[in-house]
Amino acid sequence: MVDKARFLIHYHEIALKGKNRRHFEQLLAQRLRDALGGDATVRLLYGRILAEVPAREAASAQERLARVFGVAYFARVETVDIDFRKIADSALRQLAQHSGSFRVSAKRANKRLPFTSPEAEREIGAHIVAARGWPVRLKGADAEVFVEFYENVAWVYTSRNRVAGPGGLPVGASGKVVVLISGGIDSPVAAWRMAKRGARPVYVHFHSYPHTSLDSLRKTVAELEILAGWHGPAKLYVVPLAAAQEAVFNNSPERYRTLLYRRFMYRIAERVAERENAAALVTGDALGQVASQTLENMDAVAKAVKMLVLRPLVGMDKNEVISQAQMIGTYQTSILPQQDCCSFLEPKRPATKSTPEQLERAESRLDVAALVDDAFSKAEIRRISVRP
Ligand code: ATP
Ligand code: MG
Protein backbone atom coordinates (compact mmCIF):
# COMPACT_ATOMS: atom_id res chain seq x y z
CA MET A 1 0.00 0.00 0.00
CA VAL A 2 1.25 3.48 -0.86
CA ASP A 3 2.02 5.64 2.14
CA LYS A 4 -0.49 8.49 2.35
CA ALA A 5 -0.32 12.06 3.58
CA ARG A 6 -3.63 13.35 4.91
CA PHE A 7 -4.72 16.97 5.06
CA LEU A 8 -7.69 18.22 7.01
CA ILE A 9 -9.13 21.27 5.32
CA HIS A 10 -11.23 23.91 7.04
CA TYR A 11 -13.42 26.48 5.34
CA HIS A 12 -15.40 29.37 6.73
CA GLU A 13 -19.07 28.66 7.07
CA ILE A 14 -20.26 32.19 7.69
CA ALA A 15 -23.09 33.09 5.35
CA LEU A 16 -23.30 29.53 4.09
CA LYS A 17 -26.75 28.28 4.74
CA GLY A 18 -28.99 25.54 3.41
CA LYS A 19 -28.57 24.59 -0.22
CA ASN A 20 -25.85 27.17 -0.71
CA ARG A 21 -23.63 25.41 1.73
CA ARG A 22 -23.87 22.05 0.00
CA HIS A 23 -23.10 23.67 -3.32
CA PHE A 24 -20.11 25.51 -1.85
CA GLU A 25 -18.72 22.34 -0.31
CA GLN A 26 -19.07 20.31 -3.47
CA LEU A 27 -17.48 23.02 -5.55
CA LEU A 28 -14.62 23.40 -3.09
CA ALA A 29 -14.04 19.63 -3.14
CA GLN A 30 -13.92 19.75 -6.93
CA ARG A 31 -11.45 22.68 -6.93
CA LEU A 32 -9.28 20.73 -4.48
CA ARG A 33 -9.32 17.71 -6.81
CA ASP A 34 -8.38 19.98 -9.74
CA ALA A 35 -5.50 21.44 -7.74
CA LEU A 36 -4.18 18.18 -6.31
CA GLY A 37 -4.48 16.08 -9.46
CA GLY A 38 -5.37 12.49 -10.20
CA ASP A 39 -3.51 10.75 -7.37
CA ALA A 40 -5.48 12.56 -4.68
CA THR A 41 -8.73 11.57 -3.04
CA VAL A 42 -10.86 14.33 -1.61
CA ARG A 43 -13.77 13.57 0.68
CA LEU A 44 -16.44 15.82 2.10
CA LEU A 45 -16.98 15.08 5.76
CA TYR A 46 -18.81 16.77 8.55
CA GLY A 47 -17.94 20.46 8.01
CA ARG A 48 -14.42 19.50 6.92
CA ILE A 49 -12.73 18.13 3.86
CA LEU A 50 -10.14 15.38 4.03
CA ALA A 51 -7.62 15.13 1.20
CA GLU A 52 -5.24 12.21 0.80
CA VAL A 53 -2.21 12.20 -1.46
CA PRO A 54 0.73 9.81 -1.82
CA ALA A 55 3.17 10.76 0.96
CA ARG A 56 5.92 11.60 -1.54
CA GLU A 57 3.66 14.37 -2.92
CA ALA A 58 3.00 15.95 0.47
CA ALA A 59 5.17 19.03 -0.03
CA SER A 60 3.72 19.98 -3.41
CA ALA A 61 0.19 19.22 -2.19
CA GLN A 62 0.76 21.62 0.68
CA GLU A 63 1.83 24.40 -1.70
CA ARG A 64 -1.20 23.82 -3.88
CA LEU A 65 -3.69 23.73 -1.02
CA ALA A 66 -2.47 27.13 0.17
CA ARG A 67 -3.68 28.52 -3.16
CA VAL A 68 -7.17 27.09 -3.40
CA PHE A 69 -9.79 29.78 -2.90
CA GLY A 70 -12.34 28.79 -0.29
CA VAL A 71 -9.74 27.16 1.98
CA ALA A 72 -9.57 28.99 5.32
CA TYR A 73 -6.73 26.87 6.67
CA PHE A 74 -5.52 23.30 6.59
CA ALA A 75 -3.10 20.99 8.33
CA ARG A 76 -1.40 17.73 7.68
CA VAL A 77 -2.90 15.36 10.23
CA GLU A 78 -2.10 12.03 11.77
CA THR A 79 -4.99 9.60 12.01
CA VAL A 80 -5.00 7.85 15.37
CA ASP A 81 -7.29 5.41 17.20
CA ILE A 82 -9.52 6.99 19.83
CA ASP A 83 -7.12 6.33 22.66
CA PHE A 84 -5.87 9.28 24.72
CA ARG A 85 -2.38 7.88 25.09
CA LYS A 86 -1.98 7.27 21.34
CA ILE A 87 -3.34 10.73 20.64
CA ALA A 88 -0.82 12.25 23.07
CA ASP A 89 1.99 10.23 21.44
CA SER A 90 1.02 11.61 18.05
CA ALA A 91 1.08 15.17 19.45
CA LEU A 92 4.49 14.53 21.03
CA ARG A 93 5.86 13.25 17.70
CA GLN A 94 4.57 16.35 15.95
CA LEU A 95 6.00 18.63 18.65
CA ALA A 96 9.35 16.84 18.89
CA GLN A 97 11.24 20.17 18.65
CA HIS A 98 8.91 22.06 20.96
CA SER A 99 9.60 23.55 24.34
CA GLY A 100 7.31 25.99 26.12
CA SER A 101 3.67 26.04 27.05
CA PHE A 102 0.92 24.17 25.25
CA ARG A 103 -2.78 23.47 25.28
CA VAL A 104 -5.06 20.83 23.78
CA SER A 105 -8.25 21.75 21.89
CA ALA A 106 -10.62 18.91 21.09
CA LYS A 107 -13.74 18.79 18.93
CA ARG A 108 -16.18 15.97 18.50
CA ALA A 109 -18.01 15.42 15.22
CA ASN A 110 -19.10 12.12 16.75
CA LYS A 111 -21.31 13.13 19.68
CA ARG A 112 -21.85 9.53 20.81
CA LEU A 113 -18.37 9.25 22.27
CA PRO A 114 -18.35 8.40 25.99
CA PHE A 115 -16.47 11.57 26.96
CA THR A 116 -16.83 15.32 26.46
CA SER A 117 -14.33 17.48 24.62
CA PRO A 118 -13.03 19.13 27.85
CA GLU A 119 -12.52 15.66 29.37
CA ALA A 120 -10.53 14.59 26.31
CA GLU A 121 -8.45 17.78 26.49
CA ARG A 122 -7.61 17.19 30.14
CA GLU A 123 -6.67 13.54 29.67
CA ILE A 124 -4.55 14.08 26.58
CA GLY A 125 -2.94 17.13 28.23
CA ALA A 126 -2.09 15.06 31.31
CA HIS A 127 -0.24 12.48 29.17
CA ILE A 128 1.76 15.26 27.51
CA VAL A 129 2.64 16.88 30.84
CA ALA A 130 3.72 13.50 32.20
CA ALA A 131 5.98 12.93 29.18
CA ARG A 132 7.57 16.37 28.78
CA GLY A 133 6.58 18.57 31.71
CA TRP A 134 5.48 21.45 29.48
CA PRO A 135 3.22 23.94 31.30
CA VAL A 136 -0.40 24.14 30.19
CA ARG A 137 -1.57 27.61 29.19
CA LEU A 138 -5.10 28.06 27.99
CA LYS A 139 -4.56 31.59 26.60
CA GLY A 140 -1.51 32.37 24.49
CA ALA A 141 0.05 28.89 24.59
CA ASP A 142 3.27 28.48 22.58
CA ALA A 143 1.81 25.45 20.83
CA GLU A 144 -1.71 24.16 20.44
CA VAL A 145 -2.60 20.52 19.88
CA PHE A 146 -5.80 20.06 17.90
CA VAL A 147 -7.75 16.83 18.12
CA GLU A 148 -10.84 16.22 16.02
CA PHE A 149 -12.87 13.09 16.68
CA TYR A 150 -14.63 11.76 13.63
CA GLU A 151 -16.45 8.41 13.64
CA ASN A 152 -13.96 5.94 15.10
CA VAL A 153 -10.73 7.91 14.61
CA ALA A 154 -9.05 11.04 15.90
CA TRP A 155 -7.21 13.48 13.66
CA VAL A 156 -4.30 15.12 15.39
CA TYR A 157 -2.39 18.20 14.28
CA THR A 158 -0.75 21.18 15.92
CA SER A 159 -0.50 24.93 15.49
CA ARG A 160 2.97 24.23 14.08
CA ASN A 161 1.66 22.59 10.92
CA ARG A 162 -1.46 24.63 10.46
CA VAL A 163 -1.28 26.62 7.21
CA ALA A 164 -3.50 29.53 6.21
CA GLY A 165 -5.35 29.26 2.92
CA PRO A 166 -6.41 32.29 0.90
CA GLY A 167 -10.02 32.20 2.14
CA GLY A 168 -12.73 33.46 -0.19
CA LEU A 169 -15.02 31.25 -2.27
CA PRO A 170 -14.19 28.38 -4.64
CA VAL A 171 -13.73 29.49 -8.23
CA GLY A 172 -16.99 29.13 -10.09
CA ALA A 173 -19.20 29.82 -7.08
CA SER A 174 -19.91 33.33 -8.37
CA GLY A 175 -20.07 32.78 -12.12
CA LYS A 176 -17.77 34.20 -14.77
CA VAL A 177 -16.17 37.58 -15.43
CA VAL A 178 -14.12 39.02 -18.27
CA VAL A 179 -10.91 40.63 -17.00
CA LEU A 180 -9.16 43.28 -19.09
CA ILE A 181 -5.51 42.47 -18.50
CA SER A 182 -2.75 44.78 -19.67
CA GLY A 183 0.49 43.14 -18.58
CA GLY A 184 0.92 45.82 -15.89
CA ILE A 185 0.82 45.58 -12.10
CA ASP A 186 -2.84 46.24 -11.37
CA SER A 187 -5.00 44.09 -13.61
CA PRO A 188 -3.56 40.73 -12.41
CA VAL A 189 -4.32 41.79 -8.84
CA ALA A 190 -7.87 42.75 -9.87
CA ALA A 191 -8.29 39.30 -11.47
CA TRP A 192 -6.95 37.55 -8.38
CA ARG A 193 -9.36 39.40 -6.10
CA MET A 194 -12.32 38.45 -8.26
CA ALA A 195 -11.20 34.82 -8.46
CA LYS A 196 -10.86 34.83 -4.68
CA ARG A 197 -14.52 35.83 -4.49
CA GLY A 198 -15.47 32.83 -6.62
CA ALA A 199 -15.55 34.39 -10.09
CA ARG A 200 -13.98 32.41 -12.92
CA PRO A 201 -11.95 34.84 -15.02
CA VAL A 202 -11.79 34.86 -18.80
CA TYR A 203 -9.11 37.28 -19.97
CA VAL A 204 -8.83 39.83 -22.78
CA HIS A 205 -5.58 41.50 -23.75
CA PHE A 206 -5.38 44.28 -26.35
CA HIS A 207 -2.20 45.01 -28.27
CA SER A 208 -1.29 47.71 -30.79
CA TYR A 209 1.00 45.60 -32.92
CA PRO A 210 2.71 46.69 -35.20
CA HIS A 211 2.79 50.12 -33.52
CA THR A 212 4.07 48.55 -30.34
CA SER A 213 5.90 45.27 -29.78
CA LEU A 214 4.24 42.13 -28.45
CA ASP A 215 6.13 42.38 -25.14
CA SER A 216 2.90 43.26 -23.33
CA LEU A 217 1.35 40.02 -24.63
CA ARG A 218 4.33 37.97 -23.47
CA LYS A 219 4.16 39.60 -20.04
CA THR A 220 0.41 39.00 -19.87
CA VAL A 221 0.88 35.31 -20.67
CA ALA A 222 3.60 35.01 -18.03
CA GLU A 223 1.33 36.67 -15.44
CA LEU A 224 -1.54 34.38 -16.38
CA GLU A 225 0.64 31.31 -15.93
CA ILE A 226 1.15 32.48 -12.35
CA LEU A 227 -2.53 33.28 -11.81
CA ALA A 228 -3.41 29.85 -13.18
CA GLY A 229 -1.59 28.43 -10.16
CA TRP A 230 -4.34 30.01 -8.07
CA HIS A 231 -7.50 29.71 -10.12
CA GLY A 232 -6.66 26.95 -12.58
CA PRO A 233 -6.38 27.06 -16.39
CA ALA A 234 -7.94 30.07 -18.12
CA LYS A 235 -8.83 31.35 -21.56
CA LEU A 236 -7.17 34.44 -23.01
CA TYR A 237 -8.55 36.44 -25.93
CA VAL A 238 -5.78 38.35 -27.69
CA VAL A 239 -7.27 41.26 -29.61
CA PRO A 240 -5.61 43.66 -32.08
CA LEU A 241 -6.56 47.25 -31.25
CA ALA A 242 -4.35 49.07 -33.77
CA ALA A 243 -7.05 49.68 -36.41
CA ALA A 244 -9.47 51.18 -33.89
CA GLN A 245 -6.68 53.29 -32.41
CA GLU A 246 -5.70 54.60 -35.85
CA ALA A 247 -9.30 55.60 -36.50
CA VAL A 248 -9.41 57.46 -33.18
CA PHE A 249 -6.04 59.07 -33.84
CA ASN A 250 -7.09 60.36 -37.26
CA ASN A 251 -10.58 61.55 -36.41
CA SER A 252 -11.02 62.53 -32.78
CA PRO A 253 -9.80 65.32 -30.48
CA GLU A 254 -6.43 64.50 -29.00
CA ARG A 255 -7.39 64.98 -25.35
CA TYR A 256 -9.96 62.17 -25.51
CA ARG A 257 -7.73 59.60 -27.18
CA THR A 258 -6.96 57.42 -24.20
CA LEU A 259 -10.60 57.38 -23.15
CA LEU A 260 -11.75 56.47 -26.64
CA TYR A 261 -9.25 53.59 -26.81
CA ARG A 262 -10.69 52.42 -23.52
CA ARG A 263 -14.26 52.59 -24.81
CA PHE A 264 -13.23 50.32 -27.68
CA MET A 265 -11.67 47.91 -25.22
CA TYR A 266 -14.82 47.81 -23.13
CA ARG A 267 -17.06 47.21 -26.14
CA ILE A 268 -14.89 44.39 -27.43
CA ALA A 269 -14.63 42.92 -23.94
CA GLU A 270 -18.42 43.03 -23.71
CA ARG A 271 -18.58 40.97 -26.90
CA VAL A 272 -16.23 38.45 -25.32
CA ALA A 273 -18.46 38.39 -22.23
CA GLU A 274 -21.55 37.69 -24.33
CA ARG A 275 -19.82 34.81 -26.08
CA GLU A 276 -18.49 33.43 -22.79
CA ASN A 277 -21.67 33.94 -20.80
CA ALA A 278 -19.84 36.19 -18.36
CA ALA A 279 -21.77 38.64 -16.21
CA ALA A 280 -19.31 41.52 -15.71
CA LEU A 281 -16.16 43.23 -16.94
CA VAL A 282 -13.26 43.71 -14.53
CA THR A 283 -10.48 46.30 -14.73
CA GLY A 284 -7.51 47.28 -12.58
CA ASP A 285 -8.54 50.93 -12.23
CA ALA A 286 -7.86 52.70 -8.92
CA LEU A 287 -9.46 56.02 -8.20
CA GLY A 288 -7.28 58.97 -9.19
CA GLN A 289 -4.26 56.90 -10.22
CA VAL A 290 -4.00 58.43 -13.69
CA ALA A 291 -6.06 60.88 -15.74
CA SER A 292 -8.26 58.14 -17.16
CA GLN A 293 -9.21 56.97 -13.67
CA THR A 294 -11.05 59.98 -12.29
CA LEU A 295 -14.67 59.40 -11.31
CA GLU A 296 -15.88 61.34 -14.33
CA ASN A 297 -13.68 59.47 -16.79
CA MET A 298 -14.38 56.03 -15.35
CA ASP A 299 -18.08 56.75 -15.75
CA ALA A 300 -17.75 58.21 -19.25
CA VAL A 301 -15.74 55.19 -20.41
CA ALA A 302 -18.04 52.62 -18.86
CA LYS A 303 -21.11 54.23 -20.46
CA ALA A 304 -19.89 52.71 -23.74
CA VAL A 305 -21.25 49.36 -22.52
CA LYS A 306 -24.38 48.08 -20.81
CA MET A 307 -22.59 45.45 -18.80
CA LEU A 308 -21.63 45.80 -15.15
CA VAL A 309 -18.02 47.00 -14.83
CA LEU A 310 -16.21 46.03 -11.62
CA ARG A 311 -13.03 47.64 -10.36
CA PRO A 312 -11.89 45.67 -7.33
CA LEU A 313 -8.85 47.93 -6.76
CA VAL A 314 -10.75 51.20 -6.90
CA GLY A 315 -10.12 52.10 -3.25
CA MET A 316 -6.57 50.81 -2.96
CA ASP A 317 -3.28 52.72 -2.84
CA LYS A 318 -0.55 51.75 -5.28
CA ASN A 319 1.65 50.39 -2.49
CA GLU A 320 -1.21 48.16 -1.31
CA VAL A 321 -1.65 46.84 -4.85
CA ILE A 322 2.09 46.25 -5.15
CA SER A 323 2.28 44.23 -1.95
CA GLN A 324 -0.65 42.11 -3.12
CA ALA A 325 1.05 41.60 -6.50
CA GLN A 326 4.17 40.44 -4.63
CA MET A 327 2.18 38.00 -2.53
CA ILE A 328 0.37 36.66 -5.61
CA GLY A 329 3.65 36.33 -7.50
CA THR A 330 2.93 38.54 -10.52
CA TYR A 331 4.89 41.61 -9.44
CA GLN A 332 8.32 40.74 -10.84
CA THR A 333 6.82 40.00 -14.26
CA SER A 334 4.57 43.03 -14.26
CA ILE A 335 7.42 45.52 -13.82
CA LEU A 336 9.39 44.27 -16.83
CA PRO A 337 9.54 47.02 -19.44
CA GLN A 338 6.77 47.16 -22.02
CA GLN A 339 5.21 49.56 -24.45
CA ASP A 340 1.71 50.13 -23.17
CA CYS A 341 -0.85 49.99 -25.96
CA CYS A 342 -2.49 53.11 -24.58
CA SER A 343 0.70 55.12 -24.40
CA PHE A 344 0.69 54.75 -28.15
CA LEU A 345 0.08 58.30 -29.35
CA GLU A 346 -0.94 59.35 -25.88
CA PRO A 347 -2.33 62.87 -25.59
CA LYS A 348 -0.06 65.49 -24.02
CA ARG A 349 -2.93 66.94 -21.97
CA PRO A 350 -5.53 64.25 -21.48
CA ALA A 351 -9.03 65.29 -20.41
CA THR A 352 -9.48 64.63 -16.71
CA LYS A 353 -13.23 65.24 -16.60
CA SER A 354 -15.14 64.05 -19.60
CA THR A 355 -18.79 63.25 -20.06
CA PRO A 356 -20.31 60.35 -22.00
CA GLU A 357 -21.82 62.94 -24.40
CA GLN A 358 -18.42 64.43 -25.19
CA LEU A 359 -17.00 61.01 -25.93
CA GLU A 360 -20.00 60.04 -28.06
CA ARG A 361 -19.54 63.22 -30.06
CA ALA A 362 -15.87 62.44 -30.46
CA GLU A 363 -16.82 59.02 -31.81
CA SER A 364 -19.47 60.31 -34.21
CA ARG A 365 -17.06 60.31 -37.12
CA LEU A 366 -16.02 56.71 -36.54
CA ASP A 367 -17.72 53.54 -37.67
CA VAL A 368 -17.64 52.16 -34.14
CA ALA A 369 -19.68 49.02 -34.79
CA ALA A 370 -17.54 47.97 -37.76
CA LEU A 371 -14.30 48.58 -35.88
CA VAL A 372 -15.54 46.54 -32.91
CA ASP A 373 -16.73 43.70 -35.16
CA ASP A 374 -13.46 43.67 -37.02
CA ALA A 375 -11.28 43.58 -33.89
CA PHE A 376 -13.47 40.96 -32.24
CA SER A 377 -13.39 38.76 -35.33
CA LYS A 378 -9.58 38.87 -35.26
CA ALA A 379 -9.33 37.78 -31.63
CA GLU A 380 -7.05 34.80 -31.07
CA ILE A 381 -7.93 32.48 -28.24
CA ARG A 382 -5.25 30.88 -26.10
CA ARG A 383 -5.49 28.39 -23.27
CA ILE A 384 -3.26 29.24 -20.35
CA SER A 385 -2.20 26.83 -17.65
CA VAL A 386 0.52 26.79 -15.05
CA ARG A 387 3.94 26.67 -16.65
CA PRO A 388 5.27 23.13 -16.18
P1 ATP B 1 -2.42 48.00 -15.10
O1 ATP B 1 -1.32 47.96 -14.10
O2 ATP B 1 -3.41 46.90 -14.96
O3 ATP B 1 -1.91 48.19 -16.50
P2 ATP B 1 -2.66 50.82 -14.81
O4 ATP B 1 -2.72 51.41 -13.48
O5 ATP B 1 -1.38 50.86 -15.57
O6 ATP B 1 -3.22 49.33 -14.75
P3 ATP B 1 -4.02 51.71 -17.15
O7 ATP B 1 -2.88 51.27 -17.98
O8 ATP B 1 -4.56 53.06 -17.29
O9 ATP B 1 -3.78 51.56 -15.60
O10 ATP B 1 -5.21 50.66 -17.38
C1 ATP B 1 -6.35 50.63 -16.57
C2 ATP B 1 -7.05 49.31 -16.77
O11 ATP B 1 -7.49 49.18 -18.14
C3 ATP B 1 -6.11 48.13 -16.57
O12 ATP B 1 -6.02 47.77 -15.22
C4 ATP B 1 -6.77 47.07 -17.41
O13 ATP B 1 -7.88 46.50 -16.74
C5 ATP B 1 -7.30 47.87 -18.59
N1 ATP B 1 -6.30 47.87 -19.68
C6 ATP B 1 -5.39 48.81 -19.98
N2 ATP B 1 -4.63 48.45 -21.03
C7 ATP B 1 -5.08 47.23 -21.43
C8 ATP B 1 -4.71 46.32 -22.46
N3 ATP B 1 -3.71 46.57 -23.29
N4 ATP B 1 -5.39 45.16 -22.56
C9 ATP B 1 -6.40 44.88 -21.69
N5 ATP B 1 -6.77 45.70 -20.71
C10 ATP B 1 -6.14 46.87 -20.57
MG1 MG C 1 -1.21 49.90 -17.54
Side-chain angles (χ1 to χ4, degrees):
M1 209 187 79
V2 192
D3 216 8
K4 298 280 188 192
R6 290 189 182 83
F7 294 92
L8 192 63
I9 296 154
H10 291 239
Y11 43 88
H12 292 305
E13 293 158 59
I14 302 162
L16 287 178
K17 295 193 189 114
K19 266 191 294 183
N20 238 350
R21 173 175 169 155
R22 196 75 201 141
H23 177 64
F24 171 96
E25 290 172 331
Q26 279 166 354
L27 203 56
L28 178 56
Q30 188 52 49
R31 293 291 92 91
L32 290 163
R33 285 183 197 107
D34 297 345
L36 294 173
D39 292 340
T41 56
V42 174
R43 282 187 295 148
L44 267 176
L45 306 168
Y46 207 84
R48 304 271 184 275
I49 294 176
L50 191 72
E52 281 185 352
V53 301
R56 64 189 141 74
E57 291 174 18
S60 79
Q62 177 140 335
E63 273 174 29
R64 290 168 188 208
L65 288 172
R67 293 180 165 224
V68 176
F69 297 119
V71 172
Y73 62 91
F74 65 92
R76 187 167 175 180
V77 296
E78 286 193 6
T79 312
V80 184
D81 296 336
I82 299 183
D83 171 321
F84 295 142
R85 175 176 293 282
K86 287 185 184 168
I87 292 169
D89 286 345
S90 166
L92 288 165
R93 264 196 306 279
Q94 296 184 49
L95 291 176
Q97 313 300 327
H98 179 70
S99 73
S101 60
F102 81 103
R103 69 160 292 165
V104 180
S105 299
K107 277 214 181 79
R108 299 179 314 157
N110 176 356
K111 301 290 182 196
R112 290 185 307 263
L113 292 169
F115 51 81
T116 64
S117 294
E119 281 164 3
E121 289 166 359
R122 274 197 300 277
E123 297 259 351
I124 296 162
H127 284 293
I128 294 175
V129 171
R132 301 293 301 268
W134 296 328
V136 174
R137 247 175 95 180
L138 295 185
K139 276 217 170 76
D142 297 319
E144 189 161 357
V145 173
F146 298 96
V147 184
E148 300 198 14
F149 297 101
Y150 176 79
E151 294 184 343
N152 56 350
V153 295
W155 290 310
V156 184
Y157 63 101
T158 76
S159 47
R160 293 297 165 92
N161 55 11
R162 193 171 134 151
V163 180
L169 302 171
V171 172
S174 311
K176 240 193 223 182
V177 294
V178 168
V179 180
L180 288 80
I181 186 160
S182 65
I185 299 169
D186 302 333
S187 34
V189 176
W192 185 90
R193 295 187 70 94
M194 294 305 298
K196 171 171 168 170
R197 294 303 306 161
R200 174 163 300 289
V202 173
Y203 293 95
V204 194
H205 175 73
F206 298 94
H207 64 77
S208 313
Y209 187 79
H211 300 297
T212 61
S213 73
L214 290 174
D215 289 348
S216 67
L217 173 60
R218 281 186 280 273
K219 281 176 62 183
T220 297
V221 169
E223 289 171 351
L224 291 181
E225 286 172 341
I226 293 161
L227 286 166
W230 293 90
H231 57 50
K235 230 190 226 185
L236 168 65
Y237 284 71
V238 179
V239 182
L241 199 66
Q245 288 181 295
E246 285 161 20
V248 168
F249 179 75
N250 291 322
N251 295 290
S252 307
E254 180 182 336
R255 64 187 180 286
Y256 296 134
R257 251 179 231 157
T258 311
L259 302 176
L260 298 175
Y261 298 163
R262 282 280 140 71
R263 280 166 66 94
F264 273 102
M265 290 186 188
Y266 279 41
R267 291 185 180 104
I268 297 161
E270 190 178 48
R271 295 285 293 276
V272 172
E274 282 158 10
R275 163 152 340 151
E276 291 287 337
N277 252 320
L281 307 183
V282 175
T283 76
D285 296 319
L287 181 58
Q289 193 176 92
V290 289
S292 58
Q293 297 172 21
T294 62
L295 291 176
E296 292 81 2
N297 283 346
M298 285 195 282
D299 180 53
V301 168
K303 288 268 155 67
V305 294
K306 287 213 185 69
M307 188 164 272
L308 173 65
V309 178
L310 297 172
R311 301 174 184 83
L313 313 187
V314 73
M316 289 172 75
D317 291 342
K318 194 73 185 186
N319 55 1
E320 293 172 321
V321 177
I322 287 173
S323 61
Q324 292 234 320
Q326 286 167 330
M327 181 276 295
I328 295 163
T330 50
Y331 182 69
Q332 287 307 325
T333 305
S334 66
I335 56 173
L336 296 172
Q338 79 178 69
Q339 292 169 296
D340 193 308
C341 83
C342 284
S343 60
F344 163 59
L345 306 173
E346 204 168 62
K348 283 192 218 53
R349 296 162 140 268
T352 52
K353 284 187 181 183
S354 64
T355 64
E357 295 70 29
Q358 286 168 331
L359 300 186
E360 280 159 26
R361 224 172 302 128
E363 282 168 345
S364 62
R365 297 174 54 200
L366 312 178
D367 190 346
V368 171
L371 289 163
V372 169
D373 280 348
D374 181 57
F376 183 59
S377 71
K378 290 182 174 139
E380 273 176 47
I381 301 176
R382 298 200 188 182
R383 280 242 137 229
I384 313 276
S385 33
V386 184
R387 195 181 311 188

